[in-house]
Amino acid sequence: MATIALDPHEPLDRAPAGPSLDAKPHPFARLIFFGLLLGGFVYACASVLIDTQGVGEELALGAFAFLALALVIALGFEFVNGFHDTANAVATVIYTNAMPANLAVIWSGFFNFLGVMLSSGAVAYAIITLLPVDLLLNVGSSAGFAMIFALLLAAVLWNLATWYVGLPNSSSHTLIGSVLGVGFANQLMTAGSTGGTSGVDWSQAQKVLTGLAIAPLIGFFAALLLLLVMRAVLKNPKLYSAPERDAPPPRGIRALLIFTCTAVSFSHGSNDGQKGMGLIMLILIGCAPTAYALNRTMPESATPAFVATADRAAAVFESKGGLATPLPIANARAILTQALQTRDVERPETYAALGVISRDVSEQVAGYGALARVPAQATPNLRGDMYLALDTSKLALKAESAQRRFSAPEIAAIDAYQDQLEAGTRFIPLWVKITVALALGLGTMVGWKRIVITVGEKIGKAHLTYGMGASAELVAACTILAADRFGLPVSTTHILSSGVAGAAVANGQGLQARTIRNMALAWVLTLPVAMLLSGGLYWLLLTLVRATGNG
């Protein structure tokens, strides 16, 4: 067996030759690629114009150009996410000769596209809830736009940096670090006026970061265990040996590897694509609130149910508030905003404020007859009230005293109200799904070679086997789909890379210390570096805006 010295200090025994990664795409394929890329952006811009004109919201040329730039950066994040994370799905089929490299990335891109299109949408707003309350309520302000640009630019820059050196870093990890950085910077910059409460929702951050932290452990040990089980049950020695030079796997093994590649591609699209959707919705709400702050596609026939659930929930909250005189609406908003910032809802005035806001939301929607009829001038306040009612009521049900304070019918009434509020505010237009799906899918078809080599050659000390590839990808696909079901953002990269490492150990190989060390270093550095980048960019952008008198 020939020796390929990937590391001059650590010569490794490997298969005679690696797969061909240098095949050039046909010129016609390039034409289709760039045509789809341009067509997707034009489609997004046209959809914005149609949506805004449909509700009578005219965007000035400058505002439209600003929105187009923001969309380019947001879709650029998904594009980079695509080519940064492609290796997670295609490295195994390429290095086991199950599929040629060019066909593998096209196949992966198509199923990434499908994954986005068929996603639940539950993950889209999971990361957004980490952002400061004051920025979410005023996303169209200068601070709101500075927040969006800072976190997107920081995420893209770190993703490009780790891609350039061939490290399989997590786009999810990077984006969450960027969000935390903006929140922390906002907390420092507004401490004097808000008491330092306009920062990160650390309870939600802990939930998200816990998911990211345990993902590599799940990937490593689950893939290790699965391969050990396979070795005990499936005795075919070809499953556990390096592929012969340029020879495709046996038919059944090849089908298994293509299936696992498909599953990882689809699950990656279903989870990672939603992160871009949520960010694009923030941009749209800030730039064109009349068209996008409320779900105007909800039919008029849904209004009676919305009003009825709001009235029932309002009655529950009013009964817990115990105030003889209703609060003024402005005071109620201030109380709920403070409750969200401090994460403290277990006070009578908070429940009284929830009752006031919920009753007002019910009266407004009933008065207009449907969300589609809410006029432009009323849209920001109504959306803000619905956001306050939704997130504060969620905190109320999570509080330690919730089971004592609320009866089962009362909890059911609040749950039904929350469902209606989510349907009215947390929605994804079809064109947003399509453009994000195109950006992610097309992104998988470029720039994949660097990280494919790392995953395929530089984790284990011997060539990737069929069993290693299948076990790592099965674990990754199942874990990501489960996370999507529960609305949790997880890292495809962390799960798959650690799965390959676990499978290598189970197969009796060692691990390349240098690669594992570099990957671990990148994973550890991602959070603080992304936080520093996004926090610094947020401070710089907001300072520039205020210096020009636009703050």
Side-chain angles (χ1 to χ4, degrees):
M1 182 176 290
T3 300
I4 300 177
L6 293 172
D7 182 341
H9 304 291
E10 204 171 353
L12 308 171
D13 289 334
R14 296 190 179 275
S20 173
L21 303 178
D22 298 316
K24 301 297 181 183
H26 192 278
F28 185 63
R30 292 177 182 270
L31 185 63
I32 294 176
F33 177 89
F34 287 109
L36 287 172
L37 202 60
L38 178 61
F41 180 68
V42 171
Y43 171 58
C45 293
S47 298
V48 170
L49 289 175
I50 292 170
D51 290 347
T52 53
Q53 290 174 0
V55 297
E57 184 176 20
E58 296 295 332
L59 289 178
L61 181 60
F64 185 76
F66 182 86
L67 174 57
L69 175 61
L71 285 175
V72 165
I73 298 174
L75 293 172
F77 167 76
E78 284 299 341
F79 188 85
V80 173
N81 184 5
F83 72 71
H84 195 283
D85 288 2
T86 308
N88 303 310
V90 301
T92 54
V93 290
I94 292 173
Y95 273 86
T96 55
N97 302 322
M99 296 179 82
N102 279 349
L103 176 60
V105 295
I106 293 172
W107 182 273
S108 177
F110 175 72
F111 282 97
N112 266 281
F113 178 90
L114 282 185
V116 177
M117 293 303 300
L118 299 176
S119 61
S120 65
V123 175
Y125 286 92
I127 292 179
I128 289 175
T129 56
L130 297 175
L131 290 165
V133 174
D134 57 327
L135 296 184
L136 286 174
L137 290 175
N138 302 286
V139 71
S141 65
S142 58
F145 288 128
M147 166 191 74
I148 292 168
F149 278 100
L151 67 90
L152 281 172
L153 287 172
V156 170
L157 288 172
W158 183 243
N159 269 352
L160 286 174
T162 52
W163 163 81
Y164 184 76
V165 296
L167 286 176
N169 179 62
S170 166
S171 296
S172 301
H173 201 175
T174 304
L175 180 59
I176 291 169
S178 299
V179 168
L180 296 179
V182 166
F184 191 61
N186 188 67
Q187 185 168 345
L188 293 177
M189 294 174 71
T190 59
S193 58
T194 63
T197 59
S198 297
V200 175
D201 176 357
W202 290 109
S203 62
Q204 179 69 9
Q206 183 179 7
K207 173 184 172 184
V208 171
L209 292 173
T210 299
L212 286 176
I214 65 174
L217 298 177
I218 292 173
F220 183 89
F221 288 106
L224 186 152
L225 180 62
L226 179 58
L227 189 59
L228 290 176
V229 171
M230 288 173 62
R231 291 177 70 94
V233 176
L234 304 174
K235 301 297 186 179
N236 187 344
K238 287 188 176 181
L239 272 173
Y240 316 109
S241 56
E244 298 176 9
R245 180 185 180 93
D246 298 331
R251 183 174 299 175
I253 296 174
R254 188 175 196 178
L256 174 64
L257 289 165
I258 292 175
F259 169 77
T260 56
C261 168
T262 304
V264 171
S265 299
F266 181 86
S267 58
H268 176 258
S270 72
N271 196 279
D272 276 41
Q274 294 189 58
K275 297 153 192 170
M277 291 181 208
L279 294 172
I280 287 175
M281 289 310 299
L282 274 186
I283 294 167
L284 294 172
I285 290 168
C287 293
T290 305
Y292 298 108
L294 299 174
N295 184 3
R296 295 180 178 273
T297 64
M298 285 184 69
E300 187 174 342
S301 60
T303 300
F306 185 102
V307 172
T309 56
D311 285 339
R312 284 195 294 269
V316 172
F317 294 132
E318 287 165 353
S319 70
K320 309 303 177 185
L323 297 186
T325 305
L327 293 165
I329 189 71
N331 290 5
R333 287 172 181 147
I335 289 171
L336 294 191
T337 301
Q338 182 68 17
L340 280 179
Q341 291 173 340
T342 59
R343 320 305 296 171
D344 181 10
V345 298
E346 297 185 83
R347 297 180 181 182
E349 59 266 30
T350 304
Y351 296 110
L354 265 171
V356 170
I357 292 292
S358 299
R359 190 72 68 185
D360 187 67
V361 166
S362 171
E363 291 172 356
Q364 286 194 65
V365 174
Y368 296 125
L371 289 181
R373 296 182 185 174
V374 178
Q377 63 273 19
T379 297
N381 272 346
L382 181 57
R383 184 244 174 201
D385 288 348
M386 290 170 71
Y387 171 84
L388 286 172
L390 175 60
D391 281 44
T392 313
S393 64
K394 284 187 173 183
L395 277 182
L397 291 188
K398 292 177 182 176
E400 292 182 4
S401 64
Q403 296 300 321
R404 299 192 308 272
R405 188 181 298 273
F406 299 106
S407 66
E410 289 174 334
I411 290 175
I414 297 171
D415 282 338
Y417 179 43
Q418 290 173 352
D419 290 342
Q420 292 288 341
L421 291 172
E422 285 191 334
T425 57
R426 295 182 177 180
F427 68 104
I428 309 292
L430 179 61
W431 71 263
V432 172
K433 273 195 169 187
I434 292 173
T435 51
V436 168
L438 276 174
L440 187 64
L442 292 174
T444 64
M445 301 179 194
V446 300
W448 46 269
K449 181 178 175 181
R450 292 175 184 270
I451 297 176
V452 160
I453 291 174
T454 298
V455 175
E457 298 181 10
K458 298 183 179 180
I459 294 179
K461 285 189 174 182
H463 196 287
L464 194 73
T465 69
Y466 305 134
M468 288 169 58
S471 60
E473 290 207 320
L474 275 173
V475 165
C478 292
T479 305
I480 298 165
L481 288 173
D484 188 27
R485 169 67 179 80
F486 293 102
L488 291 173
V490 295
S491 166
T492 304
T493 303
H494 287 182
I495 298 169
L496 196 286
S497 301
S498 57
V500 170
V505 171
N507 206 51
Q509 304 176 10
L511 299 176
Q512 294 197 51
R514 177 173 295 185
T515 300
I516 300 301
R517 183 175 61 248
N518 289 343
M519 286 171 56
L521 185 62
W523 293 355
V524 169
L525 286 177
T526 289
L527 200 64
V529 170
M531 288 180 69
L532 285 172
L533 275 174
S534 63
L537 285 169
Y538 176 70
W539 172 82
L540 178 63
L541 291 172
L542 197 54
T543 301
L544 289 175
V545 169
R546 289 173 175 172
T548 58
N550 296 319

